[in-house]
Amino acid sequence: MKRLENIPNPINMDKKEVLDLLLKEEYGYLPSSPYAVEASEENRDEGFFGGKAILSKMKLHFKAEWGNSEFTFYYVRPKRIKEPVPAFIHINFRDLIPDKYQPTEEIIDAGYAIFTIYYNDVTTDNGDFTNGIAGVLYPDGTRKPDQCGKIGLWAWSASAVMDYVQTLPEIRKDRVSVIGHSRLGKTALLAGATDERFFCAISNDSGNSGAALSRITTGEKIRDITRSFPYWFCENYRKYIDKENELPFDQNYLIAANVPHKVYVASAVGDGWACPDAEYLSCVAASEYYVKNGLKGFEHPDRLPEIGDVFHNGDIAYHMRDFGHALNRTDWNHYIDYLNSCK
Ligand code: GTR
């Protein structure tokens, strides 16, 4: 498509190089993986949704080369599990189960378990690097220009929970997808790029510095996002304020870095700040990389997205729904349909 003419293409790079570029220049390098994780149950509700589900409030304790710490997460699973079930790891905005962004009963009824991380429990959504796991990693609250910001730390936490999920016999380990909305959609894409164990990384309305191509977005620009949220990224990213055309990559690299697993990008028509066209065209621009790596690309018509579009035939999937910026039931229904349709 014409609008992709000036978008860099990672086609001749291996995945490690693609990821390295994103980490060095945008998100910062994540800390090393924990060498040990353990979870303790803080409390349990066996009667959740009238007893068809179990809700546990959990604590994940981890040991890593850079320190030991813990954070809270929730685990909801169907009560009667005959064979291992697929699951989501949802990084969410609120410490609430269910939540307006997490229709938990519907998710359970669809036969999925769900692990929820309330992102502020991992480290707060502000420039304070002295709390949560940030405080352990950066003991004096400062970081080098290529060390990760908060998005990297939230993505890291999804992988740490994934370490624990791998130990659970009731979960289909090959069917655990990571999902987030908006800033946490950016986080889900980064978690997918840095952790090959996920089945699918799901980006809901992730917008700038998420799925949306920075060069062509008509919504938020790097100047806007680094002014309001400098701490989400590494300090190197500031070099590209008003210099989108000098980026040695674009956000299609973040989608490409999700090889070898699936990725799902969703837009909402009323979400101009995230720029649905730029999110969709990013999938188009990453498609060739998926195909080169032996996967299916993005199957789409030769036009921009329209309300009601649902493209589920590739390993890059997409939908555009009506209304605005949110992670709602329509989105969840599409995600579940797609995951169920995968062999
Ligand atoms: C906005 C931000 C977007 C998006 C959103 C959100 O203010 O500019 O990039 O991340 O917040 O996370 O809700």
Side-chain angles (χ1 to χ4, degrees):
M1 276 189 209
K2 202 163 178 318
R3 286 171 70 192
L4 294 177
E5 270 163 12
N6 296 322
I7 305 298
N9 186 339
I11 199 71
N12 293 319
M13 297 166 76
D14 65 31
K15 178 191 160 159
K16 203 181 156 307
E17 291 173 293
V18 176
L19 181 59
D20 206 57
L21 207 46
L22 293 163
L23 295 176
K24 186 158 164 254
E25 301 294 331
E26 184 169 7
Y27 304 100
Y29 289 97
L30 274 55
S32 60
S33 304
Y35 60 81
V37 298
E38 217 172 78
S40 57
E41 192 173 41
E42 308 281 288
N43 56 58
R44 170 187 284 232
D45 180 355
E46 291 265 356
F48 208 47
F49 301 132
K52 70 177 160 191
I54 302 170
L55 164 66
S56 298
K57 185 172 185 182
M58 312 284 295
K59 216 159 227 164
L60 190 90
H61 311 268
F62 68 83
K63 293 184 180 152
E65 274 154 21
W66 42 277
N68 306 339
S69 191
E70 58 192 30
F71 58 87
T72 298
F73 68 99
Y74 295 89
Y75 175 24
V76 188
R77 66 280 197 195
K79 173 130 342 122
R80 298 200 185 97
I81 297 184
K82 289 191 207 77
E83 49 190 49
V85 293
F88 293 100
I89 294 179
H90 179 206
I91 316 152
N92 198 13
F93 283 88
R94 284 163 296 273
D95 190 15
L96 261 183
I97 312 281
D99 173 59
K100 63 180 176 179
Y101 287 173
Q102 187 185 299
T104 312
E105 186 169 0
E106 287 84 342
I107 293 165
I108 292 293
D109 286 344
Y112 284 71
I114 184 156
F115 300 83
T116 312
I117 301 166
Y118 168 49
Y119 77 142
N120 275 306
D121 273 343
V122 175
T123 180
T124 54
D125 187 3
N126 56 26
D128 176 6
F129 278 84
T130 62
N131 66 76
I133 69 172
V136 181
L137 182 65
Y138 304 123
D140 63 0
T142 62
R143 55 197 173 115
K144 299 198 190 92
D146 66 355
Q147 283 188 301
C148 77
K150 296 292 176 91
I151 287 178
L153 295 178
W154 298 323
W156 184 95
S157 75
S159 287
V161 169
M162 183 67 162
D163 288 352
Y164 168 67
V165 173
Q166 299 294 302
T167 68
L168 299 175
E170 69 272 24
I171 302 297
R172 269 194 73 176
K173 297 170 193 36
D174 59 339
R175 287 281 176 146
V176 182
S177 298
V178 59
I179 177 169
H181 167 64
S182 204
R183 67 199 66 184
L184 300 172
K186 311 180 209 299
T187 303
L189 287 175
L190 183 62
T194 52
D195 191 334
E196 296 194 347
R197 296 171 299 177
F198 290 114
F199 182 68
C200 183
I202 304 172
S203 149
N204 194 83
D205 304 355
S206 63
N208 185 277
S209 308
L213 292 170
S214 299
R215 280 171 176 75
I216 65 167
T217 180
T218 52
E220 186 174 31
K221 306 293 283 182
I222 295 175
R223 162 171 294 281
D224 304 308
I225 204 164
T226 55
R227 187 198 296 129
S228 305
F229 309 104
Y231 54 87
W232 284 354
F233 307 98
C234 71
E235 288 165 16
N236 279 341
Y237 198 35
R238 299 180 55 78
K239 290 191 295 199
Y240 302 103
I241 294 173
D242 296 332
K243 297 203 173 93
E244 274 81 0
N245 283 318
E246 290 174 25
L247 279 168
F249 57 87
D250 210 311
Q251 294 306 120
N252 53 320
Y253 283 46
L254 182 60
I255 297 176
N258 272 272
V259 158
H261 53 235
K262 298 173 198 301
V263 68
Y264 194 133
V265 172
S267 309
V269 70
D271 191 12
W273 192 233
C275 192
D277 286 357
E279 294 181 314
Y280 171 89
L281 288 170
S282 197
C283 298
V284 177
S287 184
E288 195 188 352
Y289 195 81
Y290 259 65
V291 173
K292 191 185 172 197
N293 283 280
L295 295 153
K296 284 187 281 174
F298 178 41
E299 293 193 16
H300 63 93
D302 191 21
R303 58 161 173 78
L304 290 171
E306 293 168 4
I307 299 176
D309 278 345
V310 178
F311 302 131
H312 279 181
N313 290 333
D315 286 321
I316 300 175
Y318 179 88
H319 72 248
M320 177 147 95
R321 62 158 173 77
D322 49 10
F323 302 109
H325 190 68
L327 170 49
N328 68 18
R329 280 170 173 74
T330 308
D331 295 310
W332 279 100
N333 286 337
H334 286 314
Y335 299 140
I336 289 169
D337 282 350
Y338 176 66
L339 297 173
N340 287 347
S341 75
C342 297
K343 300 262 157 28

